[in-house]
Amino acid sequence: MSEHYRSGFVAIVGRPNVGKSTLLNALMGEKISIISPKPQTTRHRILGIRSEADHQLIFVDTPGMHKGKDLLNITIDKIAVSTLRDVDIVLFVTDRSRGKAEEHVIEYFKRLDVPVFLVINKIDMLKNRQAIDEIILSYMGLYDFEAILPVSAQDQTHLDHLLEAVRPHLPEGPMLYPETMKSDQSDTRRMAELIREKILHHTEQEVPHAVAVVIESLEENQALKTLDVTALIIVERPTQKQILIGKNGEKMKRIGTEARKDINALLDTKIHLSLWVKVKKDWRNRPSDLRSFGYGGDA
Ligand SMILES: Nc1nc2c(ncn2[C@@H]2O[C@H](COP(=O)(O)OP(=O)(O)OP(=O)(O)O)[C@@H](O)[C@H]2O)c(=O)[nH]1
Ligand SMILES: [Mg+2]
């Protein structure tokens, strides 16, 4: 390996729903993080590893920064802040809906000694160059960003430009993850996340936030040559369970069908998926529940 190999961690941070996970997936050319139109979709720190002949970029997708009220949200909000401490480069993602809330995020950057890029996402939704300039202007004086990068993660616009801007800031160093490794998530975590993604798409209001998904068992079915996956969906109230199951079980069936398709593709194996819904009162405020449902370990 060349002595000039470069490698480093690139944090993707910003408010909920600005398109951080969409950006990660676009930069990786595959679905690593789940995406939804609802805020607070991402609940973990998720790595996307891009290995090239002379450098390795390790993107770190994080939950949207916000002031959460319950213990789950307080726990996941800490993930983005703690990620900032250990990275070489920061991509601060925003969209046209800049709010006051961002000023407290920018405050964190002032304590960092690494380049911070302002990534203005969703430019496909802006009418013209002037609309982009107006957003850029609204950030003037707030922080000395390394560069301002307007992109559309959804349409994959200007992502090459982003990569070119970031690359020279990678420190010299060895490949940190095996070349073939694209993410640090286990298959079970990815499966649970894909199921949660379908739930986020099919539910409204408080239900998306009240849901956790845990893979209970995986068994190879030799006779049918399938993998039998049993997943538990946890909600907080019986009414939420009813909503999820839907009339004649139709909503749950739809969620199951869509999740099965994605998991089949992920594992490249035929799977049989059983989904069970369980009510666990106030799980988002119980430390032991949070841990057993996979939250709190990576903050
Ligand atoms: N029009 C448009 N929509 C986008 C773009 N990027 C993301 N979106 C949409 O924005 C919504 C949120 O995307 P996510 O990638 O889940 O956002 P996030 O920042 O990861 O959200 P959290 O994980 O909740 O913090 C989804 O509906 C995406 O389809 C973009 O470039 N253009
Ligand atoms: Mg996300």
Side-chain angles (χ1 to χ4, degrees), residues 6-64:
R6 290 174 180 271
S7 59
F9 289 85
V10 183
I12 304 177
V13 300
R15 278 177 299 116
N17 217 38
V18 293
K20 299 177 297 298
S21 302
T22 309
L23 180 65
L24 174 81
N25 294 348
L27 290 166
M28 291 298 300
E30 74 174 79
K31 184 161 176 174
I32 305 278
S33 274
I34 63 163
I35 289 168
S36 93
K38 316 272 176 356
Q40 284 128 57
T41 297
T42 305
R43 290 176 175 170
H44 299 100
R45 170 172 26 217
I46 296 170
L47 300 190
I49 306 154
R50 226 185 116 111
S51 305
E52 305 282 346
D54 58 353
H55 69 275
Q56 186 171 57
L57 281 160
I58 303 147
F59 293 106
V60 193
D61 187 17
T62 62

Side-chain angles (χ1 to χ4, degrees), residues 43-45 62-63 75-83 298-299:
R43 290 176 175 170
H44 299 100
R45 170 172 26 217
T62 62
T75 309
I76 68 175
D77 189 42
K78 283 188 191 147
I79 295 174
V81 178
S82 65
T83 298
D298 54 358

